[in-house]
Amino acid sequence: MIKVNTDIHIHTNKSDHAHSTITECANYAQSIGFEVIAVTEHGPALGDAPHPSYFGGIDTLPSKIGNVRILKGVEANIIDFDGNIDMKERHLKLLDWVVAGFHYHALKPGSFEEHTNAYMKLADNPYIDMISHCGSDNYKFDYEPVIKKFAEKNIVVEINNHSFEVRKGSDINCREIALLCMKYKCPIAVTSDAHFHEGIGSFENSLRLLNDINFPEELIINTTKEKLFDFIFKKKGIRFE
């Protein structure tokens, strides 16, 4: 059975629709034996996102709270079908972990071809580390060429536990996506997308899917702190203790 002890997509109350402080999140993570969380507040194209100055001053966020390493990140928004995102390069350079994806209030759904083109172009952005919740029916795309390109660019595909509950079609679509990740050896991550501290580490839906298809654990980058840090170092040159 697959076990995961880091959570690399969470939100704190710096995003208006989340409800816990960073300290509450870190303390809860420590209480369940997690060693790493990535704080990935929404990019500025969403109305509930923190002010851009949050990202400019993100070095004031502690690197550790208790025994929990805090990765300083963002969940950026794709803002057009050329794959551009709502984050300035000078802010991206300050971050440990950059997630990007579609959100309705930043870019309304387009055509199958437009979604595919956006992901293909996004994959050429050297700052992108992970794609968020790409199993939604609202933003269907041509899975095979996109997953193949993500694999080539070493971009992580998220299997977002929360999506199974709130994004129609995610259970079926994520299965197909995960099978293609197996085929092309594309790295994935299992995440909670928690908006309240007690949601951290909630991976039941994602792990059930991955166990059902016998997904290879070696392709899951965040099963342990050491594996995650090794991935980040090889991809971005950032070394954590």
Side-chain angles (χ1 to χ4, degrees), residues 60-116:
T60 62
L61 184 68
S63 296
K64 262 189 141 178
I65 298 177
N67 294 326
V68 177
R69 169 66 71 172
I70 310 298
L71 299 186
K72 302 168 186 181
V74 66
E75 185 182 11
N77 300 286
I78 301 170
I79 55 173
D80 60 39
F81 297 118
D82 287 322
N84 292 303
I85 61 172
D86 61 341
M87 289 289 293
K88 298 182 184 299
E89 185 176 15
R90 69 174 184 272
H91 292 160
L92 293 171
K93 289 178 177 179
L94 302 174
L95 300 175
D96 303 321
W97 192 244
V98 177
V99 185
F102 286 115
H103 290 95
Y104 185 85
H105 293 292
L107 182 64
K108 290 180 173 53
S111 68
F112 181 85
E113 291 76 18
E114 286 173 323
H115 303 156
T116 301

Side-chain angles (χ1 to χ4, degrees), residues 96-199:
D96 303 321
W97 192 244
V98 177
V99 185
F102 286 115
H103 290 95
Y104 185 85
H105 293 292
L107 182 64
K108 290 180 173 53
S111 68
F112 181 85
E113 291 76 18
E114 286 173 323
H115 303 156
T116 301
N117 186 69
Y119 278 132
M120 295 293 278
K121 295 286 185 64
L122 179 69
D124 291 325
N125 185 327
Y127 292 102
I128 304 302
D129 299 314
M130 185 170 79
I131 306 300
S132 60
H133 46 67
C134 61
S136 170
D137 262 354
N138 290 333
Y139 295 95
K140 286 290 287 289
F141 60 99
D142 193 346
Y143 296 149
E144 184 132 11
V146 171
I147 298 303
K148 183 173 184 289
K149 186 163 185 181
F150 288 162
E152 292 167 354
K153 296 290 187 175
N154 203 26
I155 293 174
V156 178
V157 171
E158 175 191 59
I159 304 298
N160 181 306
N161 193 77
H162 188 52
S163 287
F164 289 67
E165 300 164 3
V166 301
R167 294 183 177 90
K168 181 182 176 182
S170 288
D171 52 347
I172 296 169
N173 298 335
C174 284
R175 183 183 183 91
E176 187 176 347
I177 288 167
L179 287 168
L180 286 167
C181 288
M182 290 173 61
K183 177 178 178 179
Y184 290 108
K185 295 182 170 49
C186 183
I188 73 162
V190 176
T191 70
S192 69
D193 196 1
H195 287 65
F196 182 65
H197 62 273
E198 291 184 358

Side-chain angles (χ1 to χ4, degrees), residues 1-8 34 97 129-130 154-161 174 177-179 181-192 203-232 234:
M1 298 290 287
I2 297 167
K3 293 185 178 180
V4 177
N5 78 347
T6 74
D7 199 343
I8 54 175
F34 277 36
W97 192 244
D129 299 314
M130 185 170 79
N154 203 26
I155 293 174
V156 178
V157 171
E158 175 191 59
I159 304 298
N160 181 306
N161 193 77
C174 284
I177 288 167
L179 287 168
C181 288
M182 290 173 61
K183 177 178 178 179
Y184 290 108
K185 295 182 170 49
C186 183
I188 73 162
V190 176
T191 70
S192 69
F203 304 142
E204 297 84 359
N205 298 318
S206 299
L207 293 179
R208 186 181 306 114
L209 181 154
L210 296 173
N211 283 314
D212 283 350
I213 63 174
N214 295 313
F215 193 89
E217 192 167 330
E218 60 266 23
L219 287 177
I220 307 173
I221 67 153
N222 67 317
T223 52
T224 67
K225 174 182 73 173
E226 293 76 17
K227 192 172 178 182
L228 174 62
F229 287 178
D230 183 61
F231 178 88
I232 293 173
K234 289 176 179 176

